[in-house]
Amino acid sequence: MKYDFDRVIERRGTDSIKWKKYGDDVIPLWVADMDFASADPVIQALRRRVDHGIFGYPAAPDELHDVIRDRLDRLYHWDAGNNDLFFSPGLVTGLNVAFQAYAAPGDGVLAQPPVYFHFINDPAWHGRVVDEPPLSEKGDTYEIDFDLFEKSITSRTKLFVLCNPHNPAGRVYTRSELERLAEICLRHNLVICSDEIHCDLLYPGHRHIPIATLSPEVATQTVTLMAPSKTYNLAGLGCSFIIIKNRALQEAWRKISFGLVPHVNTMGYVAALAAFKHGQDWLEQVLAYLKDNRDFLQHYIGENLAGVRMFKMEATYLAWLDCRAAGIRGNPAEFFLREARVALNDGTEFGKAGHGFVRLNFACPRATLGEALDRMAAALQRT
Ligand SMILES: Cc1ncc(COP(=O)(O)O)c(C=O)c1O
């Protein structure tokens, strides 16, 4: 089936976080969901389930276990047993379980800013100490400063929280980068919590490698978080999964989550199963559309947004824009909201390294993106 991602679907009035926060005259390019309808087989499967009419407590479908295990094997030659799979409504929930299960109050958690804000804020809220060896800017991309990374590890550090593919840096880490990170973590006996939610949203020339697949030793130290939510635009249905091989880490996971982490809801399971079984066609088409949007954005910025610099994107639909040379007085996200009526994420949400940056979500019809960019260009010209 051919999907029409150019179609503008009204999301105002649907209680979308992205579309509800700002006024009706604002184009929201912030929260990470897509303004595209889900794959047809997902919508059909949800309809069939609604028609059944009974919505009691659900169990994870056996077939979903099989489909996920088959997928991990096919894509990554990764052998996950049924007992190694855990479900959770969301990855943020999973991250918070990990922060509490694998680091005690006062223990250290390591993150690499600029990074998704839950990596930095949530451990700190729960009394963990966050050490933040930043990624280092190298031209239009980011690299890991391995010396700095290792120097940030102290006797209190217990957990490294990895974002791969990286939001907002857009990196897909290479095997050698992952091997160096894993080697350091194993040498210091750190648990690795690897958030791989963006693993299917890759651009040509890049391949995702789950860090846990590097070796049995790394798998033993790693908890991997994945979901169909970004891949298939199902965030509102709340279904994610966690792969944990190590029995002790599994036990700690169960202890923290029992009674606190709710079941995945019926619709989340139904959508996840339908998406993984029948969503490949939609995914291939959406990836092609996102790539064109990425290229359109890059080109537009070069031509029309003087002083704004877009980082190279190997993955995700979240562009990281350096506005420090654009002549904007004050905070660029506030400027674009006020002057262009375009809502972006403020770079400082991702840590101190994001000062002067914004994050722009381009998973929307090209016409919406074009209009937002025209408004941003006009606002810059007026400064
Ligand atoms: C790296 C990363 N992890 C987690 C999430 C959110 O996951 P969830 O909606 O499953 O809690 C996002 C959303 O943008 C993200 O970028």
Side-chain angles (χ1 to χ4, degrees), residues 11 16-21 28 30-31 33-35 361 363:
R11 293 187 71 191
S16 139
I17 290 181
K18 185 180 182 181
W19 284 84
K20 197 174 181 172
K21 178 161 180 181
W30 63 297
V31 166
D33 68 23
M34 308 189 204
D35 293 333
N361 172 354

Side-chain angles (χ1 to χ4, degrees), residues 72 93 160 167 185 276 279 292 342:
L72 296 176
T93 308
F160 167 47
N167 167 17
C185 290
F276 282 143
D292 288 348
V342 174

Side-chain angles (χ1 to χ4, degrees), residues 64-94:
L64 183 57
H65 277 104
D66 296 343
V67 165
I68 290 173
R69 289 176 52 203
D70 178 59
R71 188 178 175 85
L72 296 176
D73 181 37
R74 189 164 34 82
L75 295 176
Y76 314 118
H77 307 296
W78 191 2
D79 175 26
N82 268 349
N83 295 333
D84 304 336
L85 274 187
F86 294 75
F87 286 93
S88 156
L91 253 77
V92 171
T93 308

Side-chain angles (χ1 to χ4, degrees), residues 32 89-93 95 116 119 163 167 195 197-198 227 229-230 235 240 318 359:
L91 253 77
V92 171
T93 308
L95 288 169
Y116 186 51
F119 282 44
C163 194
N167 167 17
D195 178 331
I197 196 169
H198 296 283
S229 54
K230 296 287 174 224
S240 62
L318 306 164
R359 193 192 72 175

Side-chain angles (χ1 to χ4, degrees), residues 109-188:
V109 174
L110 210 57
Q112 297 172 298
V115 73
Y116 186 51
F117 55 91
H118 286 286
F119 282 44
I120 305 173
N121 297 345
D122 297 17
W125 280 330
H126 295 291
R128 278 67 180 167
V129 181
V130 185
D131 289 303
E132 304 179 36
L135 293 175
S136 38
E137 250 184 86
K138 257 288 166 34
D140 64 351
T141 190
Y142 283 92
E143 288 180 355
I144 301 167
D145 181 335
F146 290 97
D147 289 337
L148 186 64
F149 181 79
E150 184 154 15
K151 279 196 193 113
S152 308
I153 298 173
T154 67
S155 56
R156 69 171 181 228
T157 314
K158 296 290 184 296
L159 180 68
F160 167 47
V161 55
L162 170 68
C163 194
N164 183 39
H166 193 282
N167 167 17
R171 283 295 321 280
V172 178
Y173 290 128
T174 61
R175 179 175 293 277
S176 69
E177 285 174 312
L178 291 170
E179 281 173 349
R180 282 187 77 180
L181 283 174
E183 187 276 321
I184 296 171
C185 290
L186 260 56
R187 198 151 32 76
H188 291 272

Side-chain angles (χ1 to χ4, degrees), residues 300-357:
Y300 190 102
I301 288 174
E303 295 287 307
N304 303 297
L305 298 185
V308 176
R309 195 164 62 96
M310 175 167 155
F311 277 70
K312 187 168 151 232
M313 296 195 63
E314 300 170 349
T316 86
Y317 49 74
L318 306 164
W320 186 235
L321 308 182
D322 178 358
C323 303
R324 289 172 296 184
I328 297 170
R329 254 183 279 124
N331 177 305
E334 286 170 12
F335 168 82
F336 286 120
L337 181 61
R338 190 179 62 242
E339 300 295 330
R341 307 306 284 153
V342 174
L344 307 166
N345 286 90
D346 178 352
T348 58
E349 285 173 29
F350 304 87
K352 288 187 283 290
H355 196 78
F357 288 70

Side-chain angles (χ1 to χ4, degrees), residues 124-315:
W125 280 330
H126 295 291
R128 278 67 180 167
V129 181
V130 185
D131 289 303
E132 304 179 36
L135 293 175
S136 38
E137 250 184 86
K138 257 288 166 34
D140 64 351
T141 190
Y142 283 92
E143 288 180 355
I144 301 167
D145 181 335
F146 290 97
D147 289 337
L148 186 64
F149 181 79
E150 184 154 15
K151 279 196 193 113
S152 308
I153 298 173
T154 67
S155 56
R156 69 171 181 228
T157 314
K158 296 290 184 296
L159 180 68
F160 167 47
V161 55
L162 170 68
C163 194
N164 183 39
H166 193 282
N167 167 17
R171 283 295 321 280
V172 178
Y173 290 128
T174 61
R175 179 175 293 277
S176 69
E177 285 174 312
L178 291 170
E179 281 173 349
R180 282 187 77 180
L181 283 174
E183 187 276 321
I184 296 171
C185 290
L186 260 56
R187 198 151 32 76
H188 291 272
N189 200 26
L190 306 187
V191 173
I192 302 169
C193 173
S194 187
D195 178 331
E196 304 186 9
I197 196 169
H198 296 283
C199 65
D200 296 306
L201 299 174
L202 267 53
Y203 295 111
H206 300 281
R207 196 161 71 86
H208 178 68
I209 303 172
I211 194 166
T213 61
L214 291 179
S215 72
E217 292 73 28
V218 181
T220 300
Q221 283 291 103
T222 301
V223 168
T224 306
L225 314 183
M226 288 180 161
S229 54
K230 296 287 174 224
T231 313
Y232 295 103
N233 201 29
L234 304 172
L237 294 170
C239 176
S240 62
F241 59 94
I242 300 99
I243 303 121
I244 312 175
K245 285 265 173 195
N246 176 323
R247 298 284 165 259
L249 298 184
Q250 289 180 353
E251 203 39 48
W253 184 274
R254 274 193 207 95
K255 261 196 192 143
I256 295 294
S257 47
F258 187 72
L260 207 57
V261 177
H263 297 275
V264 167
N265 77 83
T266 302
M267 294 305 176
Y269 281 137
V270 168
L273 184 57
F276 282 143
K277 276 181 76 180
H278 306 295
Q280 188 59 26
D281 187 24
W282 183 93
L283 177 58
E284 281 166 19
Q285 292 180 47
V286 94
L287 282 172
Y289 195 89
L290 291 174
K291 179 183 174 299
D292 288 348
N293 267 8
R294 178 198 66 173
D295 296 345
F296 170 76
L297 173 64
Q298 176 98 56
H299 185 256
Y300 190 102
I301 288 174
E303 295 287 307
N304 303 297
L305 298 185
V308 176
R309 195 164 62 96
M310 175 167 155
F311 277 70
K312 187 168 151 232
M313 296 195 63
E314 300 170 349

